[in-house]
Amino acid sequence: MELKELMRSAGILGAGGAGFPSYAKLAAGADTLVVNGAECEPLLYTDYHILKRELLLVLLGISSVLEYANIPRALLAVKEHTAEKLKWKEGQLLADRIAVKVLPNVYPMGDEISLIYQATERVVKPGNLPITSGVIVLNVETLWNVGNAVRYQKPVTETWLTIGGDIPQPFALKVPVGTPVATVFEKYGIDVPETHTVLDGGPSMGKVIDPEIAVIGKTTKGLLILPNSSPAVQSKYIDAKKSVARAETACCQCTRCTDMCPRYLLGYPLEPHKMVRTAMSAAELLPEMVITANLCCGCGICETLACCQGISPKAVITQYKEVIGKNKIRYVAKEEVQAREERDWRMVPSEKWESVLGVKLYDRVAVFKDEPIDVKKVEINLRPHIGAPAVPSIQDGAQVQKGDLIATAGEGLSIAQHASIDGKAYIDGNKIIIYKD
């Protein structure tokens, strides 16, 4: 079986972010594979533990992609603090054609466009895919999954994540895909006070979840328990419509949101201060006015650090993304752009960003818990990504074992899904629930 089909049938997707089906990235024409081990968000140590404990499988995954897609080299990109812990140096060869790329400790270095520029000095044309610049980007855990599929023919049944925030000791672990958050919290005695919120993901871009009903999916990189009083949590509860209305009248036109925008600093025609000044009614009438909104990576610097008026340019841009989405338009540049000279001294140091978010106190290296966890029920999402959902291939009530195929890839952009525990499986809409016997 060729690698592309192997990845599709093994259920491999981007282990973080939007969870794009990884096989679809293996297009011809790349000369560099950038391996994203940047651990973009504060408090997360998931990729660090994968690299520390499973480097050989990650390297096998990288080598397999290089060979299949005929790519001359790979850059395994990690931040300075990770490189120090792993005792890696800039340019160090980890295997044939695979070298270390050390990134500065700044945010949001895990953003794909920023990462590509930092690793290769290439700026992807606005609105274009990385392959147009000769680059493919894959996450560390994604390549660990590729290594597992190649060596052991093992599909994705487990995911790595960090449990952190306001707890005595942050830790990382592996759990079956679809494990209820409540099961993990009960296992490790984690109680969430009423004064705290749980985020799936990092403190900047993570989403608020209900730990009583949420499950851990293939894209879950972390679960953070943070005080409601922290700016990281408060930003999650911003009323987008009120923010738009307020922005139209309260903006002092200082341009700081644009001056600090990582995408603007890479030469992108994204100017948040102009978005803030644009009336929603005008944008709905002429959506082309805000077409550059889809160039925003959602990092939140404009909202939490740059604005001195308490406005959320990010919330405004999110509303405009909906407008251009409804009108089915998007910005795709034909011209090349260049990073702005001021970028180097406007990047946000990780420690500064942690302080701004109110989470610096909780940044302690996570320990790894290498122990089995008894999971009596999992929920496997049949559509954990953009594209078509997987199609159930079992009967209701079927007895399954860990690793069994339970849903085949659908038509178009889609991946297969597999049982992550032994038990009886039941189809429930867009998910399959497995109960351990």
Side-chain angles (χ1 to χ4, degrees):
M1 185 184 296
E2 69 168 15
L3 184 64
K4 205 167 183 178
E5 181 54 34
L6 178 63
M7 291 170 65
R8 189 171 191 248
S9 61
I12 298 174
L13 47 66
F20 190 81
S22 302
Y23 75 89
K25 288 188 173 185
L26 302 190
D31 60 41
T32 303
L33 170 65
V34 175
V35 182
N36 188 352
E39 212 87 82
C40 182
E41 291 262 37
L43 311 187
L44 301 182
Y45 289 87
T46 308
D47 290 345
Y48 162 67
H49 278 290
I50 296 173
L51 292 171
K52 181 180 179 181
R53 306 176 68 85
E54 298 282 353
L55 180 60
L56 291 180
L57 268 182
V58 174
L59 293 177
L60 174 60
I62 295 172
S63 297
S64 299
V65 171
L66 294 182
E67 182 178 353
Y68 175 81
N70 195 28
I71 304 173
R73 66 165 182 166
L75 300 174
L76 205 172
V78 295
K79 286 184 181 176
E80 291 172 357
H81 70 85
T82 301
E84 289 173 4
K85 293 182 185 72
L86 295 172
K87 296 181 172 55
W88 289 356
K89 302 294 184 183
E90 168 70 20
Q92 176 182 341
L93 281 177
L94 298 173
D96 181 39
R97 298 185 291 160
I98 305 172
V100 173
K101 181 64 186 178
V102 179
L103 311 169
N105 291 330
V106 299
Y107 175 81
M109 194 46 63
D111 165 47
E112 191 171 67
I113 303 302
S114 296
L115 174 65
I116 290 171
Y117 177 73
Q118 201 68 40
T120 68
E121 296 186 345
R122 303 175 193 175
V123 180
V124 178
K125 288 185 291 187
N128 285 256
L129 295 174
I131 192 65
T132 61
S133 293
V135 179
I136 292 174
V137 179
L138 292 172
N139 175 269
V140 164
E141 186 175 352
T142 298
L143 288 159
W144 176 75
N145 284 322
V146 173
N148 264 317
V150 170
R151 175 162 294 173
Y152 304 113
Q153 292 72 55
K154 181 180 177 182
V156 180
T157 60
E158 297 176 309
T159 191
W160 299 65
L161 71 154
T162 302
I163 311 291
D166 190 10
I167 60 176
Q169 172 61 58
F171 58 96
L173 73 166
K174 282 188 298 182
V175 299
V177 172
T179 298
V181 171
T183 298
V184 177
F185 282 7
E186 180 181 358
K187 161 76 173 177
Y188 293 104
I190 297 175
D191 293 317
V192 181
E194 292 184 1
T195 55
H196 288 55
T197 292
V198 180
L199 302 181
D200 180 329
S204 311
M205 302 187 206
K207 298 180 180 179
V208 175
I209 61 169
D210 181 347
E212 296 300 318
I213 61 174
V215 300
I216 297 166
K218 292 181 180 180
T219 60
T220 302
K221 300 294 284 184
L223 296 171
L224 302 180
I225 301 93
L226 297 173
N228 297 337
S229 59
S230 66
V233 172
Q234 290 178 357
S235 68
K236 312 300 180 187
Y237 293 102
I238 290 174
D239 186 309
K241 291 184 178 180
K242 287 183 180 179
S243 188
V244 170
R246 187 167 182 272
E248 293 174 5
T249 57
C251 176
C252 68
Q253 304 182 26
C254 70
T255 75
R256 279 190 61 184
C257 54
T258 295
D259 293 340
M260 297 295 293
C261 174
R263 292 289 180 87
Y264 171 79
L265 291 171
L266 283 172
Y268 276 38
L270 173 62
E271 299 177 281
H273 75 282
K274 291 184 179 179
M275 296 281 182
V276 170
R277 296 175 190 175
T278 304
M280 176 60 75
S281 56
E284 290 176 338
L285 185 64
L286 296 170
E288 291 80 6
M289 293 176 60
V290 293
I291 194 171
T292 58
N294 73 352
L295 301 179
C296 169
C297 69
C299 70
I301 286 177
C302 60
E303 170 186 271
T304 311
L305 177 62
C307 186
C308 59
Q309 295 292 98
I311 296 169
S312 174
K314 176 183 173 181
V316 174
I317 291 173
T318 298
Q319 290 290 294
Y320 291 154
K321 284 181 178 179
E322 293 182 8
V323 171
I324 61 178
K326 289 177 182 177
N327 285 275
K328 298 181 179 180
I329 58 175
R330 60 190 298 264
Y331 187 94
V332 181
K334 294 182 180 179
E335 70 280 2
E336 302 283 348
V337 297
Q338 291 186 332
R340 303 178 191 276
E341 292 182 2
E342 59 268 32
R343 177 181 181 270
D344 286 347
W345 60 85
R346 286 190 186 166
M347 293 191 292
V348 181
S350 297
E351 287 193 5
K352 171 69 173 178
W353 186 238
E354 289 177 337
S355 297
V356 169
L357 293 174
V359 302
K360 184 174 174 56
L361 175 66
Y362 312 119
D363 190 3
R364 291 155 291 159
V365 178
V367 300
F368 188 76
K369 293 188 179 292
D370 190 8
E371 57 191 26
I373 179 170
D374 185 22
V375 179
K376 300 186 181 303
K377 169 191 171 185
V378 296
E379 295 183 12
I380 309 296
N381 187 355
L382 295 178
R383 191 176 185 177
H385 53 76
I386 63 171
V391 180
S393 57
I394 57 169
Q395 297 294 321
D396 235 18
Q399 190 74 36
V400 297
Q401 292 184 321
K402 180 178 178 179
D404 283 354
L405 179 70
I406 58 174
T408 57
E411 293 293 328
L413 190 64
S414 185
I415 57 172
Q417 298 293 342
H418 303 80
S420 58
I421 62 172
D422 300 343
K424 286 190 176 181
Y426 298 89
I427 303 167
D428 183 8
N430 255 353
K431 61 187 176 184
I432 292 178
I433 303 175
I434 303 174
Y435 295 93
K436 186 176 180 180
D437 294 335

